[in-house]
Amino acid sequence: MEIENRRRLHVISTGQQSREVLVEISKTIHPYIDMLHIREKTWTAAELIETVDELTAAGIPLRKLCINDRADIAWMKHVRGVQLSHHSAPVALVKERFPTLKVGSSVHSMQEALWACDEGADFLLYGNIYETTSKPGKQGTGIVNLEDIVLNIPLPIIAIGGITPGRVEDILRTGAKGIAVLSGIFLSEDPLEAVRAYYMAIHKEVKQLGETI
Amino acid sequence: MEIENRRRLHVISTGQQSREVLVEISKTIHPYIDMLHIREKTWTAAELIETVDELTAAGIPLRKLCINDRADIAWMKHVRGVQLSHHSAPVALVKERFPTLKVGSSVHSMQEALWACDEGADFLLYGNIYETTSKPGKQGTGIVNLEDIVLNIPLPIIAIGGITPGRVEDILRTGAKGIAVLSGIFLSEDPLEAVRAYYMAIHKEVKQLGETI
């Protein structure tokens, strides 16, 4: 049974790897993660569907899958979620017409977070918290802003951007629901070792929090 | 009331024009056409939705709109159809999960046409019939192959590719349900004059057919 209240590890594909590599890594890491985001903006609908089929065949449950932007693919393949950004369809419209999908919204400010919340998003990806190789030169929003978002937005907040295992404790102490990682896992020399490091950092933190209560 | 049995004029956007130009031309030509395909592969979901809103505001009815590939946009915006190709989701899956959408399938051979028919497509775009500037160097399939498709596939066949007003008669004599035009209208120096020429060619042909019965 899924424990709804526990901290979450989202992993996001990089847009830089082949389908074969994506599936192979996902197959290895999925027991440690809560959500795998297929974020491959140049892939066709047919390729995305083929990817979902291959991930499913590799034993990854549909409830752990989230498709970036393409609500139709998520809906047709019965995956758990769709992740939207400012260039996607509006959250409220997606929620209305695809009522069974979990809708994540990628936000970068309090204003965007409030808007996504009003529109009915189920969770938010907020960042980038730290400077990251995925967005070189873009300064991180930092922990203080993350805490501000967490305190003001009544939705699960998943922090993203430059998060290393060593930074997980700082992130989770803000009250963020979890973290999302791209290159830190998919582009790691050893993705299994990497995902385990994140997993342990998240669960160690939970234990410490429990001890201090 | 829409007369289901009449010949059809589909017009397809070129992927080369701005949203402003697309909307402006569509506003002018729409009384003469049966279906406007928004086929803009580089546009985001947000841009496609904005386009539908602008077309609707310009007086173009939703039943005349068809979105290329993105069933989610078509479904969310309540437009009439979605046009699929080999890199899209399978026709049968789209029909199953979006039951109110008219599903067109773009095919290039008898085999593809039979497959799309088996999968439940509502109509086929078949071509390219003639060599066209949209696909330079690609030889046309020709009238004989079109007639073969029309005789063997129990679906409305819309012919596409290099069709000029002067070629409409040859096309419709095969029993094809209609024609689809891209650059012949959208890239014409005078789109209104162009669409009228196609419209008159289609209706002249219908009249002639009526006279010979």
Side-chain angles (χ1 to χ4, degrees):
Chain A
M1 201 184 96
E2 203 176 21
I3 302 161
E4 277 304 326
N5 207 32
R6 71 190 178 84
R7 303 302 168 94
R8 305 250 153 193
L9 175 54
H10 289 226
V11 183
I12 302 175
S13 74
T14 61
Q16 299 173 37
Q17 294 174 309
S18 69
R19 188 162 78 224
E20 290 67 31
V21 171
L22 190 159
V23 171
E24 196 54 39
I25 294 175
S26 301
K27 193 174 170 177
T28 307
I29 65 174
H30 85 83
Y32 297 93
I33 76 177
D34 299 288
M35 191 73 93
L36 173 63
H37 293 246
I38 314 297
R39 183 171 174 275
E40 298 294 335
K41 299 182 181 186
T42 64
W43 291 7
T44 65
E47 288 170 329
L48 292 169
I49 286 173
E50 180 65 27
T51 304
V52 172
D53 288 341
E54 290 181 9
L55 290 169
T56 307
I60 300 160
L62 289 169
R63 68 174 164 77
K64 284 191 176 183
L65 295 182
C66 187
I67 307 282
N68 188 267
D69 190 61
R70 297 272 319 222
D72 50 356
I73 309 294
W75 176 253
M76 286 187 279
K77 298 304 291 181
H78 300 271
V79 310
R80 185 84 170 119
V82 61
Q83 183 68 30
L84 306 177
S85 69
H86 67 280
H87 59 68
S88 300
V91 169
L93 190 55
V94 174
K95 289 295 293 181
E96 180 196 333
R97 298 289 282 167
F98 301 101
T100 60
L101 288 181
K102 284 274 179 202
V103 174
S105 181
S106 296
V107 300
H108 309 89
S109 66
M110 179 65 79
Q111 194 182 9
E112 287 181 9
L114 284 166
W115 179 253
C117 184
D118 280 352
E119 288 251 305
D122 294 301
F123 63 89
L124 304 184
L125 255 61
Y126 171 73
N128 49 311
I129 309 298
Y130 303 99
E131 196 170 333
T132 157
T133 51
S134 304
K135 296 188 175 182
K138 194 175 173 188
Q139 209 185 344
T141 58
I143 286 286
V144 174
N145 283 320
L146 171 62
E147 192 157 27
D148 203 23
I149 296 276
V150 170
L151 288 173
N152 285 283
I153 308 289
L155 285 179
I157 309 295
I158 309 295
I160 185 170
I163 301 171
T164 58
R167 286 165 164 170
V168 167
E169 187 172 339
D170 286 345
I171 296 288
L172 295 185
R173 284 196 179 280
T174 65
K177 181 76 176 174
I179 63 163
V181 182
L182 290 84
S183 54
I185 290 175
F186 269 113
L187 297 182
S188 164
E189 280 184 21
D190 187 339
L192 180 58
E193 188 183 286
V195 78
R196 280 179 172 153
Y198 282 104
Y199 181 88
M200 280 163 57
I202 288 172
H203 286 268
K204 170 173 164 258
E205 173 60 17
V206 169
K207 200 177 158 200
Q208 285 177 347
L209 286 175
E211 284 166 355
T212 60
I213 288 165
Chain B
M1 203 185 94
E2 204 175 19
I3 301 161
E4 277 302 326
N5 207 31
R6 72 190 178 83
R7 304 301 169 94
R8 305 249 153 196
L9 176 54
H10 288 226
V11 182
I12 302 175
S13 74
T14 62
Q16 299 172 37
Q17 294 174 309
S18 69
R19 188 162 77 225
E20 290 67 30
V21 171
L22 191 160
V23 170
E24 197 54 39
I25 294 176
S26 301
K27 193 174 171 178
T28 306
I29 65 173
H30 86 83
Y32 297 94
I33 76 176
D34 299 288
M35 191 73 93
L36 172 63
H37 293 245
I38 314 298
R39 182 171 174 274
E40 298 294 334
K41 299 182 180 185
T42 64
W43 292 7
T44 66
E47 288 170 328
L48 292 170
I49 287 172
E50 180 64 26
T51 304
V52 172
D53 288 341
E54 290 180 10
L55 290 169
T56 306
I60 300 160
L62 289 169
R63 68 173 163 76
K64 284 192 177 183
L65 295 182
C66 187
I67 306 283
N68 190 267
D69 190 62
R70 297 272 318 222
D72 49 355
I73 308 294
W75 176 253
M76 285 187 279
K77 297 304 290 181
H78 300 271
V79 310
R80 184 83 171 120
V82 62
Q83 184 68 31
L84 306 177
S85 68
H86 68 280
H87 60 68
S88 301
V91 169
L93 190 55
V94 175
K95 289 295 294 182
E96 181 197 332
R97 298 289 282 166
F98 300 101
T100 60
L101 288 181
K102 284 275 179 200
V103 175
S105 180
S106 297
V107 300
H108 309 89
S109 66
M110 179 65 78
Q111 195 183 9
E112 286 182 10
L114 285 166
W115 179 253
C117 184
D118 281 352
E119 288 251 304
D122 294 301
F123 63 87
L124 303 183
L125 256 59
Y126 170 72
N128 50 309
I129 309 298
Y130 304 99
E131 196 170 332
T132 157
T133 51
S134 304
K135 297 189 175 182
K138 194 175 173 191
Q139 211 184 342
T141 58
I143 286 286
V144 174
N145 283 320
L146 171 61
E147 192 158 26
D148 203 23
I149 296 276
V150 169
L151 289 173
N152 284 283
I153 308 289
L155 285 179
I157 308 297
I158 309 295
I160 185 170
I163 301 171
T164 58
R167 286 165 164 171
V168 167
E169 187 173 339
D170 286 346
I171 296 289
L172 295 185
R173 284 195 179 279
T174 65
K177 180 77 175 172
I179 62 165
V181 181
L182 290 86
S183 54
I185 291 174
F186 268 113
L187 297 182
S188 164
E189 279 184 21
D190 187 339
L192 180 57
E193 188 185 284
V195 78
R196 280 179 173 154
Y198 281 104
Y199 181 87
M200 280 163 57
I202 288 173
H203 287 269
K204 171 172 162 256
E205 174 61 16
V206 169
K207 197 178 159 200
Q208 284 177 350
L209 286 174
E211 284 165 355
T212 61
I213 287 165

